[in-house]
Amino acid sequence: MTTRYYVTTPIFYVNGPPHLGHAYISIAADVMARWKRLDGFDVFFLTGTDEHGQKVEQAARAAGMDPQSFTDKISADFRDMSEKMGVSFDQWFRTTEERHKVSCTELWRRIKAAGDIYLGHYEGWYAVRDEAFYDEDELTSRPDGSKVAPSGAPVEWVREPSYFFRLSAFQDKLLSLYEEQPDFILPASRRNEVESFVRGGLRDLSISRTTFRWGIPVPEAPDHVMYVWLDALNNYVTACGFPDEAAANWKYWPADVHMVGKDIIRFHAVYWPAFLMSAGLLLPRRISSSGWWVAEGEKMSKSVGNVIEARELAATYGLDQVRYFLLREKPFGGDGSISHQAIVTRTNVDLANDLGNLAQRTLSLIARNCEGRLPAKGAATEADSDLLRSAEALPSLLREHLDRQVFHEGLEEVWKVIRAANAYIDHEAPWALRRTDTARMGTVLRVLVDTLRVIATVLQPFMPGSMARMLDQLGAPPAARWVAHLATPLPDGCALPAPQGVFPRYVEPVA
Ligand code: MSP
């Protein structure tokens, strides 16, 4: 029986074009999806765009477009970015699809039927940029007398009739959830923040707005549109076919992991489980939070003009180089700075020198000295067995780290083996054995090919294109590149294609 795995990205606001932050969370989720496919799971990988709400409506107006044409255009750009960055999603979701209206309407009905929705009046602070309500004590006053949210977003005072969700009734249930499932929120530092926020007491949440129209109408109250976060979060179940539990995708719910940025953890780890509990639906198993990237040490912002676009980065350094950098350079849950120098170092040291040269040296020795055929292994020395053992341990180490979204440590484990293989080739010196002991030379080269095969197999989720090329050169059959296929040795004597470098060095363009 195959086991299912459902992973999601946040759906992106279409108020402006995509940037590196969006690409980052998508690539991290993509690594999870590709890893699980490689490890034999039946994967459903969802991403898409969050198209309703005041912020998008305002952006459309500023662009002089009607909201639907505006969101069509920006959503297509996000989709293009995802495809160009190698994001292997199974479904592209848009909250303006008709099926989502049906799903949100039903979710609302269920929550209402549970007695958790009532009509009231909201009076308080709202930040359009965050699409979030704030309490007075969360805000900071600026010297000019204006107030800002913790995110730095400006707030405005709103007064309007509103439906409320009885969030206050879910405090104990949420606290027991965090206690019973300590990995529900990762990393642990975020879990603790969320827990203390909930412990501090929850107020009922305003879940409808009446001062603009760009949203899903509330059933039987068409002058209200649903709060954009209720609409957005529900994308994760709509995509599975909700409310049609006979739908083909329904089997994927509940999600195994919602990958999110740290700025939206509260919506996912507090509001979303509470909505689901109220509606009688199962809860996702994990909310995994990423930290933020800053550019050359500074927060990316349109006004500073330092916003990095992922597709441009890929055009400059190479797609796989960028994907590798993003997951290697900082822990997923922590913050990190992206700089030209840091990407060049990772490209030239980790990829071109450590891994690229190792493969190139091994494969060109085989091409020159073994008639381009995979040599057979003779009796193993301790050094051979040590290296092979460390390579064979990689799939389970990767499984352990990736199951907790600790990508950088998973990669470090792979690089430990790459470094050991480089030390091995230097020590065994197969180029010298050519004259003294060709059988031993064959064994050493074969140990290296077998080691490289495991390395390239487990690195496929991070660098799909380059690792496919490396596996081609190692003679691994294209249809047999899953983790399970590693148990079947490559056939002795199989002909290998002429070796070609996989990772070119980055060379500064001449001014
Ligand atoms: N629409 C909501 C999510 C709804 S999910 C049901 C949203 N969209 S967003 O487009 O503003 O942000 C999407 C993701 O991009 C967030 O997870 C956010 O953390 C991430 N990033 C935005 N800027 C970022 C960086 N500079 N660095 C890393 N990630 C950042 O929120």
Side-chain angles (χ1 to χ4, degrees):
M1 199 195 87
T2 46
T3 319
R4 292 184 192 103
Y5 189 79
Y6 177 22
V7 50
T8 67
T9 73
I11 47 171
F12 304 107
Y13 284 130
V14 290
N15 62 310
H19 61 65
L20 182 78
H22 308 122
Y24 173 58
I25 195 84
S26 297
I27 292 169
D30 182 59
V31 170
M32 291 307 306
R34 288 180 187 264
W35 167 255
K36 288 289 174 179
R37 290 188 196 116
L38 191 71
D39 209 14
F41 286 71
D42 168 13
V43 171
F44 181 41
F45 176 19
L46 179 72
T47 186
T49 43
D50 185 355
E51 307 185 0
H52 289 130
Q54 207 171 359
K55 160 155 131 167
V56 171
E57 192 190 63
Q58 285 178 358
R61 200 176 309 127
M65 291 174 80
D66 70 278
Q68 190 62 59
S69 323
F70 181 73
T71 58
D72 287 349
K73 179 170 149 243
I74 309 244
S75 177
D77 195 28
F78 269 93
R79 185 174 177 143
D80 178 73
M81 179 277 286
S82 303
E83 285 167 353
K84 294 224 166 74
M85 298 311 288
V87 178
S88 61
F89 56 85
D90 295 300
Q91 197 183 106
W92 181 261
F93 196 91
R94 300 189 56 191
T95 54
T96 50
E97 291 170 56
E98 186 56 31
R99 62 174 175 151
H100 189 51
K101 194 167 161 187
V102 174
S103 166
C104 289
T105 306
E106 178 58 20
L107 184 77
W108 184 286
R109 285 214 178 94
R110 290 198 191 181
I111 297 177
K112 186 147 188 243
D116 291 323
I117 291 181
Y118 62 91
L119 184 60
H121 206 91
Y122 180 78
E123 183 161 2
W125 296 104
Y126 192 77
V128 176
R129 201 170 88 190
D130 299 346
E131 295 284 17
F133 301 94
Y134 288 105
D135 290 343
E136 181 76 40
D137 60 7
E138 292 180 280
L139 306 178
T140 319
S141 295
R142 285 257 184 84
D144 66 1
S146 66
K147 290 177 187 286
V148 289
S151 61
V155 289
E156 60 192 31
W157 186 257
V158 299
R159 266 188 105 234
E160 53 188 309
S162 173
Y163 283 95
F164 283 84
F165 171 67
R166 233 178 267 286
L167 184 63
S168 55
F170 289 85
Q171 181 174 3
D172 291 343
K173 290 187 190 115
L174 288 166
L175 290 172
S176 337
L177 166 69
Y178 309 146
E179 198 174 319
E180 282 156 24
Q181 294 180 48
D183 289 345
F184 178 68
I185 303 166
L186 284 183
S189 54
R190 298 274 163 236
R191 177 196 175 278
N192 297 341
E193 277 171 25
V194 170
E195 195 187 327
S196 60
F197 169 74
V198 173
R199 228 175 255 295
L202 294 172
R203 285 186 196 220
D204 290 350
L205 179 70
S206 164
I207 51 163
S208 75
R209 306 283 317 269
T210 49
T211 46
F212 64 94
R213 306 295 330 134
W214 185 236
I216 296 180
V218 168
E220 287 130 42
D223 46 332
H224 290 248
V225 293
M226 292 185 198
Y227 174 39
V228 65
W229 270 102
L230 174 65
D231 158 349
L233 288 161
N234 192 39
N235 91 92
Y236 303 130
V237 300
T238 304
C240 293
F242 183 79
D244 176 10
E245 299 193 0
N249 278 342
W250 187 247
K251 63 183 180 200
Y252 292 110
W253 188 257
D256 290 274
V257 60
H258 293 316
M259 311 273 287
V260 303
K262 64 177 179 182
D263 52 322
I264 55 172
I265 189 106
R266 189 184 291 185
F267 302 94
H268 283 83
V270 182
Y271 304 165
W272 181 226
F275 295 153
L276 290 167
M277 284 175 190
S278 170
L281 291 166
L282 294 172
L283 308 187
R285 299 197 174 91
R286 158 88 46 85
I287 312 295
S288 196
S289 162
S290 79
W292 274 49
W293 284 103
V294 296
E296 307 274 352
E298 257 192 273
K299 191 172 177 339
M300 282 182 245
S301 92
K302 275 189 208 151
S303 49
V304 180
N306 64 345
V307 176
I308 299 176
E309 215 284 318
R311 285 167 290 193
E312 283 170 20
L313 219 54
T316 307
Y317 304 101
L319 172 57
D320 284 348
Q321 284 77 354
V322 171
R323 289 174 59 107
Y324 170 75
F325 172 85
L326 292 174
L327 292 164
R328 179 69 186 88
E329 189 68 7
K330 71 168 187 72
F332 177 64
D335 296 336
S337 177
I338 180 161
S339 69
H340 170 70
Q341 201 42 55
I343 303 184
V344 171
T345 303
R346 291 279 174 205
T347 300
N348 289 350
V349 177
D350 298 12
L351 298 179
N353 286 2
D354 294 353
L355 177 56
N357 276 351
L358 174 68
Q360 188 65 13
R361 281 158 101 192
T362 305
L363 291 166
S364 47
L365 283 167
I366 295 178
R368 267 187 268 124
N369 306 310
C370 310
E371 294 163 355
R373 290 183 178 278
L374 199 59
K377 254 186 294 214
T381 64
E382 209 177 298
D384 301 350
S385 311
D386 283 351
L387 183 59
L388 288 171
R389 241 197 325 269
S390 66
E392 281 156 17
L394 284 177
S396 62
L397 286 168
L398 266 273
R399 210 170 274 138
E400 214 173 280
H401 290 301
L402 295 198
D403 271 345
R404 301 178 64 78
Q405 289 77 49
V406 189
F407 304 100
H408 72 300
E409 281 181 21
L411 287 169
E412 177 53 23
E413 293 296 343
V414 181
W415 256 259
K416 276 187 204 158
V417 178
I418 294 173
R419 288 191 286 267
N422 275 311
Y424 172 88
I425 193 170
D426 288 341
H427 183 259
E428 300 293 327
W431 47 87
L433 291 168
R434 185 166 57 99
R435 283 183 298 270
T436 54
D437 186 347
T438 50
R440 177 65 195 151
M441 173 193 72
T443 301
V444 168
L445 293 174
R446 180 55 187 267
V447 166
L448 286 163
V449 167
D450 289 352
T451 303
L452 279 163
R453 180 192 182 202
V454 182
I455 291 169
T457 299
V458 300
L459 287 179
Q460 289 177 98
F462 298 89
M463 301 185 283
S466 320
M467 291 305 103
R469 285 196 294 283
M470 190 172 285
L471 287 164
D472 288 343
Q473 298 188 37
L474 294 167
R481 293 180 178 175
W482 289 12
V483 170
H485 296 122
L486 290 172
T488 312
L490 299 173
D492 294 344
C494 85
L496 302 184
Q500 275 179 344
V502 169
F503 293 117
R505 288 183 68 77
Y506 178 86
V507 183
E508 295 294 344
V510 191

